[in-house]
């Protein structure tokens, strides 16, 4: 009878130990899965923010190419010589590139809304609108182009870009 009690005692202890070990393993694997999912979520948010930065910077890069060509055109007309057809062709290529970059910028804006970053979205829209304003008011064959006004708008665009990237950096640091 004593052996039976010892056998039951040992069986109960082994069973309880197995149950405790199983529950602990289950709990640990669940917390690892949650931690892994959180890390994936954070990495996905960072990837989205990095994509937004690249898409936004591409617009600025194309804008700067357009700006330089417009300034070159204004200098040519002011100094009374014809602007070469090759440079006109390059400008038209840059305009096509600008259209493509604005499509990318629309995707960046959508990502900001997806991330619920409405202030960043508004800042990016201001940047976009100012670039669009420049494009609509500064083009070849326009008679009353002002280099000073172009430089002023370029500075405004640069400030809006800096403001956007400062806010985007803060958002990136939060993630």
């Amino acid at each position: 009878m004593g052996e039976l009690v010892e056998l039951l005692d040992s069986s109960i202890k082994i069973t309880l130990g197995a149950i405790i070990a199983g529950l602990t393993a289950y709990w640990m694997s669940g917390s690892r899965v949650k931690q892994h999912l959180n890390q994936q979520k954070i990495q996905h948010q960072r990837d989205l923010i990095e994509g937004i930065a690249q898409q936004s910077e591409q617009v600025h890069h194309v804008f700067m190419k357009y700006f330089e060509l417009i300034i070159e055109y204004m200098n040519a007309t002011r100094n009374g010589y014809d602007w070469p057809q090759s440079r006109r062709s390059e400008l038209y290529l840059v305009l096509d590139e600008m259209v493509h970059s604005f499509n990318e910028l629309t995707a960046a804006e959508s990502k900001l809304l997806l991330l619920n970053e409405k202030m960043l979205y508004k800042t990016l829209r201001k940047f976009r609108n100012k670039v669009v304003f420049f494009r609509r008011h500064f083009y070849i064959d326009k008679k009353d182009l002002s280099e000073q006004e172009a430089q002023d708008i370029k500075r405004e665009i640069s400030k809006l870009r800096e403001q956007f990237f400062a806010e985007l950096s803060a958002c990136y640091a939060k993630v």
Side-chain angles (χ1 to χ4, degrees):
M1 182 82 165
E3 289 178 17
L4 184 62
V5 172
E6 278 185 41
L7 184 62
L8 280 173
D9 183 52
S10 296
S11 296
I12 291 172
K13 288 178 183 176
I14 290 171
T15 304
L16 283 174
I19 291 172
I20 291 170
L23 289 174
T24 303
Y26 177 76
W27 179 74
M28 291 295 288
S29 69
S31 66
R32 282 190 191 123
V33 167
K34 284 181 185 177
Q35 183 182 17
H36 181 70
L37 290 175
N38 283 338
Q39 286 175 342
Q40 282 183 325
K41 180 182 175 186
I42 289 169
Q43 187 57 46
H44 183 65
Q45 286 177 329
R46 286 183 172 216
D47 291 344
L48 284 175
I49 292 170
E50 289 170 5
I52 291 165
Q54 289 171 344
Q55 291 164 319
S56 304
E57 188 56 30
Q58 181 61 26
V59 169
H60 187 258
H61 174 72
V62 174
F63 163 74
M64 290 305 294
K65 290 195 303 189
Y66 183 76
F67 174 81
E68 292 302 325
L69 287 166
I70 288 295
I71 293 297
E72 182 182 316
Y73 170 78
M74 285 191 287
N75 287 333
T77 21
R78 185 177 56 237
N79 293 324
Y81 64 87
D82 287 335
W83 205 43
Q85 187 60 38
S86 63
R87 298 304 276 167
R88 281 181 184 262
S89 297
E90 186 177 342
L91 180 79
Y92 293 129
L93 288 173
V94 169
L95 283 172
D96 288 342
E97 194 177 347
M98 189 177 283
V99 168
H100 177 72
S101 68
F102 274 118
N103 290 338
E104 292 292 317
L105 193 62
T106 300
E109 292 168 349
S110 299
K111 289 174 189 175
L112 287 172
L113 291 174
L114 183 67
L115 292 170
N116 200 28
E117 292 292 342
K118 292 176 183 157
M119 292 306 294
L120 266 170
Y121 170 78
K122 289 177 182 178
T123 305
L124 186 56
R125 288 296 294 183
K126 287 178 188 176
F127 169 75
R128 173 197 193 111
N129 291 340
K130 192 53 85 168
V131 172
V132 168
F133 176 84
F134 185 89
R135 165 61 190 98
R136 287 184 180 153
H137 289 84
F138 290 88
Y139 52 89
I140 59 175
D141 298 328
K142 184 176 179 186
K143 302 297 181 207
D144 60 341
L145 295 176
S146 162
E147 189 171 340
Q148 182 60 46
E149 185 182 356
Q151 293 289 350
D152 291 344
I153 294 172
K154 177 189 168 205
R155 275 191 287 283
E156 286 179 50
I157 289 171
S158 292
K159 285 179 185 176
L160 288 169
R161 175 184 163 267
E162 288 174 20
Q163 179 185 357
F164 172 73
F165 274 97
E167 291 176 21
L168 190 66
S169 293
C171 178
Y172 189 81
K174 284 190 305 187
V175 174

